[in-house]
Amino acid sequence: MSAFLDALFFQAGYNAALVALGAMLLGFAAGAGGSFLFLRNRALVSDAVAHATLPGVGLAFIVMVALGGDGRSLIGLLAGSAVSAWVGLLAVEWMVRRTRLSEDAAIGAILSTFFGLGVVLLTVIQGMSRGRQAGLEDFLLGSTAGMLLQDGLLIAGGGMAVVFAIWLLRRPMTLVAFDPAFAAARGVDVRRVDLAMMGVVLAVTVVGLKLVGLILIVALLIIPPVTARFWSDRAENVVWIAGVIGGVSGWIGAAISATAPALPTGPIIVLVATGLFAVSLLFSPTRGVAAAVIARRAFQTRVHRRQGLLALARNEPIYDRLTLKILRSEGLLRRDGVATEAGQAACARIARDERRWSVARRLHKDTALTGRYDGLTPIDDVFTEDEITWIDSQVLSEGAA
Amino acid sequence: MGAEFVQFSLTPILIGVFAAIACALPGNFLILRRQALIGDAISHVVLPGIVVAFLITGVVSTWPMLLGAAGAALAAVLLIEAVRRLGKIEPGAAMGVVFTSLFAAGVLLLEQSDTSSVHLDVEHALMGNLEQLIWLRADGWGSLLDPVALSHLPPELPRMAVAAALIAVLTWLFWRPLKLSSFDEGFARALGMPVSAIGLGLVTAAAVAAVAAFDAVGSIIVIAMFICPPAAARLMTNHLGRQVGWSVVFATASAILGYVLAGYGPLWLGASNSVSAAGMVAAVSGVILLLACLFGPARHRVGVAAGG
């Protein structure tokens, strides 16, 4: 436990601290950057981008070896991955624009083709006499083991740069993500902002390659935004909440994985994010499952309570178990099925409310007010006191007639 | 095309072709329904399935692994649906959340359990081992008639052939409901067709194809074959029957060309090692799709959406 706490508070050595900081920044950048994609309904574009990095990594390695280097410079590999991911992205765009294929088909085609090419290049590298493949598989699933100090610096610095870029571009990107037509009408160049958005996703992917790997970076771009959506309806809040969720996942995940060598960083970070997602899905106050269940139960109780009391007022027998249970637990009904004093008062109130409503609905046939009659809302919530007095006079005169 | 070809190339090529066809057939309908990425999701979640199957049984054998993979695929489809409905999240994002989480769980389980000693790793799941499915007992075309040699066929071959045949028969049997519900769900519903059941059946068939194929050829081929041949076929014709036909042709061509290029291409270029067959099959299917995008007679959008 103390090892975990040490890692959590950056006390587990300089290198580990740098990795944790990098993971945090990268998580933040991925969460915030992914939100724009999510709000624009293009979450899975990131899947194509991530898979399209692989041939670039392979090609860069081959080129660096051909030029006489040892092929393992992280900057060189990341530059290669950025170029091929950009090509993949343009290919998706081109396919959607120029052919009748839908976006998801284009994404799937690009991700599988580029990934296939990448695997071919990896086997080419395996067969090269000079090139030792050393560490290229790490780009599939990420690895912090054996990470050099400069690699850590690169990830932390890259993460910070992406966060800064997102902060600079937040206005136009939010506008375009939320409503492209409105953004265009306000004079925003939607295509350029879209490209900038993709640039952010690309940067996150490339920076995250070494840390979480190309297959799992998609998770960091998708899960935090979806999680954040449970906590706010405002686009701008979603972006920053997603950033925080991503950052926390990266931070805690890196700390957990620092405690044991057998815990790979990428999957742990993703699973921490998944945990936060599951909690949000279940317990978010407005959109969560628990909230929905509670709201449903409350509604059910109101319906049964009212119908039960109306039945009592009309001296009709009640058979429904739930109704009986609710009335008894509120002390409105005795065990033998006779209304208590409080129950009788409630019956009288409800019956009066129902009489008033029936008159009100007859008198206000066309108005929006009576449209609010749902058999549950007390009439005092809808009409003013004066109106109710008037309605009561109508009830009395009808009773006399 | 002598004895060596039969021994080393015939069975992998046939397995590749059957796998490609089994995936391409449901892929046609998935593409029409804009669910093309279901194949991607399923092939990712297969990993936790096989790892769990290994942890439970403790052995690397085919049937438990296939069952585990199938269970994981089914669980993933149900989870995606649950997340989509419970969280009111758009399908793409729900899919992304579920398959990446399950894949991460699979990788973690794999690293935690002591599976490195046995042949079970991420690379294998991704790339398959098409090159190793050779028919050692064969010593020429005559072996095709020799029962002893035939009994030493790699078991993946009959299994994949059965899976491909099953998918083909199902496609033929359910042709009309599949066609109607893919093009016009509302109309199909109005005719009283069980549209959701058809959709679930299609996804299940896709999962069967993916699970049967990934074991032999790896998940790269699976994802590529679900999407590239049907997408290319869609750009060739406006007729669903012909589209399915084209997709089978493209899938077959990708499998054969890809395998041959991977095995012999480097030799022609003067290199000594062959390259990944799975990767090459996927790459060839991408090239075919590229050609269809450039020259396919039905590549353009027609009607209202044609502008822009």
Side-chain angles (χ1 to χ4, degrees):
Chain A
M1 195 64 203
S2 77
F4 172 65
L5 286 179
D6 278 351
L8 204 56
F9 295 109
F10 307 112
Q11 303 296 313
Y14 188 62
N15 226 351
L18 208 54
V19 169
L21 187 69
M24 197 163 100
L25 284 165
L26 177 75
F28 189 93
S35 311
F36 297 110
L37 277 190
F38 171 60
L39 292 173
R40 197 138 165 51
N41 275 350
R42 304 178 77 185
L44 286 171
V45 171
S46 55
D47 205 12
V49 173
H51 283 81
T53 55
L54 191 60
V57 171
L59 267 185
F61 184 90
I62 293 174
V63 168
M64 283 191 286
V65 170
L67 292 178
D70 82 337
R72 271 179 296 171
S73 144
L74 186 59
I75 293 186
L77 296 176
L78 294 188
S81 73
V83 171
S84 77
W86 190 245
V87 172
L89 200 54
L90 292 181
V92 170
E93 243 232 326
W94 175 78
M95 237 192 264
V96 173
R97 214 155 24 86
R98 295 299 301 276
T99 73
R100 64 174 178 182
L101 294 174
S102 58
E103 189 166 42
D104 64 327
I107 290 171
I110 293 302
L111 86 82
S112 56
T113 307
F114 273 63
F115 196 66
L117 257 183
V119 168
V120 167
L121 288 174
L122 284 190
T123 49
V124 169
I125 291 168
Q126 271 169 347
M128 281 164 54
S129 47
R130 271 186 66 197
R132 273 162 307 153
Q133 203 193 351
L136 283 198
E137 309 96 335
D138 285 354
F139 286 98
L140 290 179
L141 298 170
S143 157
T144 51
M147 193 185 273
L148 301 173
L149 178 60
Q150 63 197 50
D151 298 350
L153 276 174
L154 196 64
I155 290 167
M160 208 182 306
V162 181
V163 171
F164 184 64
I166 292 172
W167 185 76
L168 278 182
L169 291 167
R170 66 196 186 281
R171 294 271 136 118
M173 289 204 301
T174 315
L175 209 56
V176 169
F178 200 63
D179 191 344
F182 177 65
R186 295 241 338 233
V188 175
D189 186 343
V190 174
R191 213 178 119 72
R192 270 180 57 192
V193 175
D194 262 341
L195 281 182
M197 210 184 277
M198 290 306 156
V200 166
V201 171
L202 187 81
V204 168
T205 309
V206 169
V207 172
L209 272 189
K210 178 80 179 161
L211 195 64
V212 286
L214 62 89
I215 300 181
L216 288 173
I217 189 73
V218 182
L220 284 188
L221 285 159
I222 293 181
I223 298 176
V226 177
T227 309
R229 188 64 188 80
F230 284 109
W231 298 96
S232 177
D233 286 330
R234 284 178 52 105
E236 209 163 326
N237 294 348
V238 169
V239 173
W240 300 124
I241 297 172
V244 169
I245 290 171
V248 167
S249 310
W251 178 39
I252 297 179
I256 294 176
S257 102
T259 57
L263 295 173
T265 323
I268 296 276
I269 294 178
V270 172
L271 289 175
V272 172
T274 306
L276 293 175
F277 165 79
V279 169
S280 307
L281 174 70
L282 293 175
F283 301 116
S284 122
T286 51
R287 290 164 46 105
V289 173
V293 170
I294 291 170
R296 203 186 118 72
R297 287 298 293 273
F299 180 74
Q300 221 176 8
T301 308
R302 279 175 67 199
V303 171
H304 280 266
R305 182 176 186 274
R306 181 159 176 121
Q307 293 305 322
L309 287 174
L310 279 175
L312 275 185
R314 295 189 198 116
N315 279 324
E316 290 163 4
I318 302 172
Y319 298 108
D320 188 85
R321 284 227 195 97
L322 182 61
T323 312
L324 289 171
K325 203 179 124 200
I326 291 166
L327 292 181
R328 277 183 197 138
S329 73
E330 287 186 23
L332 301 173
L333 198 66
R334 287 198 329 234
R335 280 255 145 234
D336 56 6
V338 180
T340 62
E341 223 164 276
Q344 281 166 355
C347 281
R349 263 201 314 280
I350 296 261
R352 190 181 61 188
D353 193 60
E354 195 68 17
R355 271 202 303 281
R356 283 171 171 176
W357 263 118
S358 74
V359 171
R361 274 187 301 161
R362 197 145 22 83
L363 296 178
H364 292 266
K365 269 207 178 84
D366 314 317
T367 61
L369 285 175
T370 46
R372 287 189 51 192
Y373 175 77
D374 55 5
L376 286 178
T377 318
I379 198 163
D380 334 27
D381 290 1
V382 180
F383 290 96
T384 61
E385 232 171 89
D386 294 349
E387 283 171 313
I388 290 176
T389 319
W390 185 69
I391 289 171
D392 277 346
S393 71
Q394 297 292 314
V395 173
L396 280 179
S397 68
E398 274 172 33
Chain B
M1 286 294 178
E4 205 171 294
F5 175 82
V6 178
Q7 204 170 20
F8 291 112
S9 299
L10 180 65
T11 42
I13 287 182
L14 282 178
I15 292 170
V17 168
F18 286 136
I21 291 176
C23 293
L25 282 176
N28 279 296
F29 301 97
L30 291 177
I31 283 206
L32 288 176
R33 293 162 164 253
R34 311 203 156 203
Q35 292 182 326
L37 288 166
I38 278 272
D40 182 31
I42 289 174
S43 52
H44 277 90
V45 302
V46 154
L47 180 71
I50 48 176
V51 180
V52 168
F54 170 76
L55 291 179
I56 293 175
T57 61
V59 289
V60 182
S61 70
T62 304
W63 283 108
M65 302 248 162
L66 282 183
L67 283 178
L74 193 64
V77 170
L78 295 178
L79 270 177
I80 291 171
E81 201 56 21
V83 167
R84 196 171 71 77
R85 293 212 180 145
L86 290 178
K88 296 177 192 66
I89 296 164
E90 51 120 357
M95 197 188 286
V97 169
V98 170
F99 85 74
T100 53
S101 301
L102 287 177
F103 188 77
V107 174
L108 185 65
L109 277 177
L110 200 55
E111 301 276 332
Q112 282 295 290
S113 57
D114 189 24
T115 48
S116 49
S117 52
V118 294
H119 190 63
L120 182 65
D121 53 54
V122 178
E123 266 177 75
H124 177 209
L126 287 173
M127 302 176 198
N129 56 346
L130 194 51
E131 296 92 338
Q132 289 154 30
L133 302 175
I134 49 179
W135 188 16
L136 271 179
R137 272 305 185 87
D139 43 28
W141 290 98
S143 302
L144 283 176
L145 300 171
D146 175 6
V148 181
L150 279 178
S151 68
H152 286 84
L153 271 178
E156 283 86 355
L157 180 59
R159 206 186 308 138
M160 205 59 241
V162 168
L166 177 73
I167 303 257
V169 168
L170 284 175
T171 310
W172 180 70
L173 276 180
F174 290 96
W175 180 261
R176 204 178 117 78
L178 270 175
K179 180 174 167 179
L180 270 176
S181 65
S182 299
F183 277 115
D184 192 339
E185 210 180 299
F187 180 59
R189 207 181 288 277
L191 286 183
M193 284 183 180
V195 174
S196 339
I198 295 169
L200 189 65
L202 177 63
V203 172
T204 312
V208 169
V211 169
F214 107 92
D215 175 46
V217 297
S219 57
I220 304 176
I221 291 190
V222 172
I223 304 172
M225 290 305 122
F226 265 122
I227 298 172
C228 293
R234 176 132 173 77
L235 304 177
M236 299 300 290
T237 170
N238 284 317
H239 186 270
L240 182 64
R242 273 175 229 139
Q243 180 191 321
V244 171
W246 273 112
S247 74
V248 171
V249 171
F250 287 150
T252 310
S254 308
I256 297 176
L257 260 179
Y259 187 82
V260 171
L261 282 180
Y264 301 101
L267 302 179
W268 298 334
L269 292 177
S272 55
N273 296 292
S274 58
V275 297
S276 160
M280 198 51 116
V281 171
V284 169
S285 74
V287 172
I288 291 177
L289 176 59
L290 175 68
L291 292 176
C293 282
L294 289 173
F295 307 112
R299 64 185 182 276
H300 294 300
R301 223 167 253 145
V302 285
V304 194

